[in-house]
Amino acid sequence: MTLQTFLLLAAALFSIGLYGVLSQQSIVMLMMGLELMINGVIAAGGAFWHYVAPRTADGQVLVLVAVTVMALEMAMGFAVVTAIFRARDVDLTDEAGDLKG
Amino acid sequence: MSVGAFWALAVLAVAGGVAVFVVDSMARATFALLASLLAVGGTLLLVDLHYVGVLVILMMVMEMLVMAVFMIMYMMNPGGLMPMKMVHGDRAAKIIAAAVFVLLAAGAFLTPWPARRGPPPADPTRALGLAIMGPRMLVMMVVGVAILATMVATVVLATHRGRYDR
C-alpha cells in the first residue's frame, strides 16, 4: 500500500470510466463512466493527502470538491436527459449530436 | 492486514467498474458502480481519512439509489432479460482507454514523487474543518454557489413548461 499502488487504482478506474464515456450510446450509461472517472480522482486525492502532504488538509478538500462535482454532474446530467427526452424522445448520444458545440 | 484490505478493495473497485459496462441491465450497472464507489470509500478509511471516507460511502449510497430510480426510468431493458450492448466506436474507445491507463500507470511509477512532508495531524477531520473554515473557505464558497446554480438549472431544465407558455 503505497502512493504508487493508489495511483494505479486511480488510473484503472479513470481508464475504465474513459472507455465508458467514449463508447456508451445511452446518455445515462455515459454519465456512469464520468462517475467512475471522478471515482479515480477521489482515490488519488486521498492518497496524495496521506503520502505527500498530510499536514495541510488540501488533499481532503480536493476529495470534498470531487464528491460535490460527482453529485452536481449527476443532477445536471439527469436534468438534461429529462429535458431532451421530454422534448424529442431521445436518450441516445447519437440522436443528440446537434447538442455538440 | 491493511495491505490485504487495500488490495481486496482495489480489486473490488476495478471489478465493479468493469461490471458497469458488462452487465445487461442498467439497474445492475448502477449497483456495480455503487460497489466500486464504496470500495474506494473503504480505501480512504485505510489511509486515516475517517470522516471523508464515511462521507464518500454515505453520499454514494444515496446518490446511487437516486440514480437507480432514474436508470429504471430510462432503461429499455429493466430486468436484464436480453443482452444489452449499446456501444459505438467500441474498438477505438478500448484502445484509447488502454493507452491512457498505460500512460497514467507509467506516470505513477516513474514520477519521482516528493517525500512525505510532515506527519499527519492527530485528528485529520479537525484539520479539514479548520481548513475549510479558514484558508480554504473560498473553495467551499465556490462549491456552495455551484450547488445553488445546479439546483436552479436542474429545476429550470426539468420543469415541463415555462411560466408563460400556458
Side-chain angles (χ1 to χ4, degrees):
Chain A
M1 202 168 75
T2 60
L3 178 62
Q4 279 82 4
T5 54
F6 260 95
L7 292 180
L8 190 67
L9 167 66
L13 291 171
F14 188 88
S15 313
I16 297 168
L18 183 66
Y19 161 74
V21 168
L22 291 176
S23 70
Q24 295 296 313
Q25 283 183 310
S26 168
I27 303 175
V28 280
M29 288 301 284
L30 186 156
M31 280 160 51
M32 302 191 83
L34 286 175
E35 303 255 315
L36 265 178
M37 291 171 83
I38 302 174
N39 197 16
V41 174
I42 291 176
F48 273 117
W49 174 81
H50 188 257
Y51 291 107
V52 177
R55 204 160 45 182
T56 54
D58 296 348
Q60 295 195 63
V61 174
L62 180 67
V63 174
L64 279 190
V65 171
V67 169
T68 315
V69 166
M70 213 164 180
L72 298 190
E73 170 259 314
M74 195 194 83
M76 278 312 293
F78 276 123
V80 171
V81 175
T82 305
I84 194 169
F85 190 77
R86 188 174 273 155
R88 302 208 315 234
D89 230 6
V90 162
D91 67 342
L92 295 181
T93 48
D94 297 326
E95 296 163 356
D98 54 319
L99 294 184
K100 182 171 78 178
Chain B
M1 192 207 107
S2 66
V3 175
F6 170 76
W7 282 109
L9 288 169
V11 168
L12 181 65
V14 174
V18 171
V20 169
F21 302 113
V22 173
V23 292
D24 281 334
S25 139
M26 285 196 196
R28 285 180 209 162
T30 309
F31 287 103
L33 181 61
L34 176 60
S36 177
L37 294 165
L38 291 185
V40 167
T43 61
L44 294 184
L45 294 179
L46 291 178
V47 288
D48 296 333
L49 285 172
H50 297 139
Y51 167 70
V52 176
V54 171
L55 180 79
V56 167
I57 289 172
L58 291 178
M59 211 164 146
M60 293 313 147
V61 169
M62 288 302 296
E63 199 176 318
M64 286 304 121
L65 289 181
V66 175
M67 195 149 185
V69 173
F70 277 94
M71 282 297 188
I72 291 165
M73 260 167 71
Y74 283 111
M75 66 189 171
M76 59 295 300
N77 184 19
L81 297 175
M82 291 173 295
M84 178 182 84
K85 194 138 182 79
M86 293 179 16
V87 291
H88 52 187
D90 193 37
R91 209 177 123 79
K94 274 182 183 143
I95 292 170
I96 293 172
V100 166
F101 174 71
V102 170
L103 196 70
L104 290 176
F109 282 98
L110 297 180
T111 308
W113 298 109
R116 196 182 201 193
R117 278 200 297 272
D123 188 354
T125 311
R126 180 180 158 81
L128 174 64
L130 290 175
I132 60 178
M133 285 298 143
R136 299 288 171 269
M137 191 182 250
L138 182 64
V139 177
M140 297 323 278
M141 286 166 74
V142 172
V143 164
V145 174
I147 293 174
L148 180 64
T150 306
M151 283 157 64
V152 174
T154 47
V155 171
V156 168
L157 277 173
T159 42
H160 195 47
R161 57 185 177 189
R163 186 173 164 187
Y164 300 108
D165 46 47
R166 291 183 189 279

